[in-house]
Amino acid sequence: EERTSAEVFGALPGGRGDAELCRLGRTIDVSNKDGTSVVKDVVLMHNHIALAKRFAVNDNFYCDSDHSIDGHRWLVGTYPNEFMETRIGESAEGEGPGNHSFIGSSGAIYPEDYNEAGSIWEHFARNKVSFWNYGLGFEFKPQQEEREYKYTGIRLTVNYPMPKVLFENTSRQFATYNTNIPDQFRMDMFEKEFNEKWASGKEPFPDVITMMLPNDHGAGERPKEGYPFWGSYMSDNDLALGRLVELISHSPFWKETVIFVTEDDAQGFRDTVDAHRSICMVISPYAKRDHVSHTHASTASMLKTLFLIQGMPALNQYDGCASDLADMFTHDADNDEPYQAVPVNTEIFDRSKAVDPSDPDFDWNAAADFVPLDHQPFLDSDRY
């Protein structure tokens, strides 16, 4: 959620960046909002850096989006149409005619959003590509996103229609965007289903898995729950990514897998090159080792590469005409050693102290510090 290339990979050797803007991928001092607590010499995103040095990243990759509201549409191949664009004014609420302002900055696709060919979900179904979804596509507005909704992360107050193929292929154990839910719990739930469904051999491994790990959006400090700093959310997210790659790379599916990592938008910080430049990672036995690609690419490029791997045609003209990410791959799977997640600094994020939504004794009705997507006062604060 909302990170730029420079703030994560700005100090990465071989890339176009500015170490001064790299607040997540190099050693910094981290302090809380009132300056009463400081931890020196911390790297908030150790796993992102370790994975970038082991596999491939692109330093010329741009989100097609400006906000989360259109970013979640670009991510699933539904480029914003007139209904969507007329809603985006000075605020994410928009004042377009015929639109309901309460929809807000949501991470779901509404019936009015759909273009002629639909989204990636229908595209997978048409081409008989199996998929299983974790967290995308059902964050409609208005909604309640409280701590007690530990599995889906949300309760909806309006009965919006959801695409049938997405509804039938979405986990009921994995939370959508909700900063009250640790990314560690999301990974716990993914690992549980991974072992029950696929590692056990009970079901065939899907052709595609889509997953949201949103806590690098950041939220307010919750020191009693393992989040004493804004940067704690970055480390929570970083460890979750490390755990994901560790799990897959130790599984029998690893040698036939590629993991793409990106953001929905890049509005959360500054960048050396452009405000839309963001994260693009290719993690696979077939990824070039310690490679920085300079190919001009976008969100559509990532979708195009996914479609090409699956033998699918283009969904629309955006991915049809986009450059692909082929130069980040090799022909031989010679980068197949299992990955071991790098521990994060426990002074910043202590996984054992973070709220464990599986704990039956936890008061799930406690007051929450949820931060909505694209909440401008929070984004403007630039808190570490």
Side-chain angles (χ1 to χ4, degrees):
E1 281 288 344
E2 302 178 352
R3 306 277 64 89
T4 69
S5 178
E7 68 175 321
V8 180
F9 296 129
L12 192 69
R16 291 185 302 167
D18 184 343
E20 290 301 312
L21 292 182
C22 184
R23 61 178 181 169
L24 304 180
R26 69 177 177 92
T27 302
I28 61 169
D29 296 341
V30 177
S31 63
N32 61 358
K33 185 168 59 175
D34 60 14
T36 57
S37 179
V38 179
V39 181
K40 294 184 175 295
D41 301 330
V42 175
V43 178
L44 292 172
M45 285 189 157
H46 266 303
N47 282 283
H48 282 72
I49 301 306
L51 290 165
K53 291 181 177 179
R54 162 84 183 273
F55 299 101
V57 297
N58 183 304
D59 72 346
N60 200 17
F61 175 91
Y62 304 87
C63 291
D64 289 297
S65 58
D66 295 309
H67 318 79
S68 293
I69 190 168
D70 58 329
H72 284 273
R73 285 149 175 82
W74 283 108
L75 282 173
V76 298
T78 307
Y79 59 87
N81 60 14
E82 184 177 2
F83 169 83
M84 185 71 256
E85 293 293 1
T86 55
R87 291 189 58 254
I88 301 178
E90 293 183 0
S91 71
E93 300 297 327
E95 297 179 356
N99 296 305
H100 300 288
S101 62
F102 64 74
I103 291 176
S105 182
S106 56
I109 312 302
Y110 293 81
E112 294 87 349
D113 284 319
Y114 270 88
N115 302 305
E116 183 178 8
S119 69
I120 59 173
W121 318 121
E122 292 79 21
H123 200 44
F124 291 147
R126 282 193 298 266
N127 289 277
K128 295 179 171 53
V129 171
S130 62
F131 75 93
W132 194 250
N133 172 56
Y134 289 92
L136 282 86
F138 57 91
E139 197 213 8
F140 294 95
K141 305 284 183 175
Q143 91 293 34
Q144 296 175 344
E145 292 174 329
E146 306 293 344
R147 288 184 193 164
E148 62 262 36
Y149 308 143
K150 57 187 179 182
Y151 294 121
T152 61
I154 192 170
R155 288 293 183 271
L156 300 175
T157 55
V158 175
N159 188 22
Y160 281 107
M162 185 173 171
K164 182 174 185 289
V165 66
L166 178 60
F167 182 83
E168 293 176 345
N169 291 277
T170 291
S171 171
R172 304 309 197 256
Q173 303 296 311
F174 193 93
T176 188
Y177 178 84
N178 184 340
T179 53
N180 293 307
I181 310 297
D183 277 348
Q184 300 311 303
F185 184 67
R186 290 183 176 89
M187 271 308 305
D188 290 343
M189 294 300 99
F190 173 71
E191 187 170 353
K192 179 176 181 288
E193 283 203 350
F194 179 87
N195 289 326
E196 290 176 352
K197 287 176 173 288
W198 307 308
S200 67
K202 290 181 180 179
E203 298 181 25
F205 197 53
D207 297 318
V208 176
I209 290 175
T210 52
M211 180 183 296
M212 172 191 288
L213 292 173
N215 275 9
D216 59 333
H217 178 285
E221 298 163 359
R222 289 151 45 196
K224 292 183 179 179
E225 297 167 12
Y227 297 90
F229 308 98
W230 174 85
S232 304
Y233 294 88
M234 307 302 112
S235 291
D236 177 21
N237 177 262
D238 178 73
L239 182 58
L241 177 62
R243 289 179 60 195
L244 172 66
V245 179
E246 178 179 318
L247 177 66
I248 300 297
S249 67
H250 283 82
S251 78
F253 311 114
W254 172 232
K255 290 191 176 182
E256 297 180 345
T257 297
V258 56
I259 300 171
F260 296 104
V261 182
T262 192
E263 304 282 319
D264 65 322
D265 67 81
Q267 69 168 326
F269 197 58
R270 299 179 293 278
D271 188 81
T272 322
V273 178
D274 185 89
H276 298 83
R277 193 169 71 119
S278 192
I279 293 171
C280 173
M281 305 177 72
V282 169
I283 300 168
S284 173
Y286 290 91
K288 289 182 179 177
R289 192 179 292 270
D290 192 15
H291 176 69
V292 180
S293 169
H294 307 302
T295 298
H296 185 276
S298 68
T299 306
S301 301
M302 192 170 282
L303 292 181
K304 179 173 187 170
T305 307
L306 167 61
F307 297 157
L308 289 172
I309 290 172
Q310 294 295 335
M312 299 167 64
L315 173 58
N316 54 52
Q317 291 189 49
Y318 281 101
D319 65 87
C321 297
S323 56
D324 59 43
L325 305 177
D327 76 311
M328 301 174 74
F329 292 85
T330 66
H331 289 287
D332 301 312
D334 58 1
N335 196 356
D336 63 348
E337 310 95 284
Y339 178 76
Q340 197 71 32
V342 181
V344 296
N345 188 309
T346 55
E347 292 182 276
I348 301 297
F349 175 71
D350 189 340
R351 181 179 168 188
S352 67
K353 292 181 180 178
V355 172
D356 180 2
S358 65
D359 183 355
D361 296 326
F362 179 73
D363 179 10
W364 281 102
N365 291 308
D369 189 26
F370 168 73
V371 175
L373 277 175
D374 294 352
H375 184 57
Q376 203 58 47
F378 183 84
L379 292 176
D380 291 342
S381 65
D382 273 350
R383 290 188 291 188
Y384 281 79

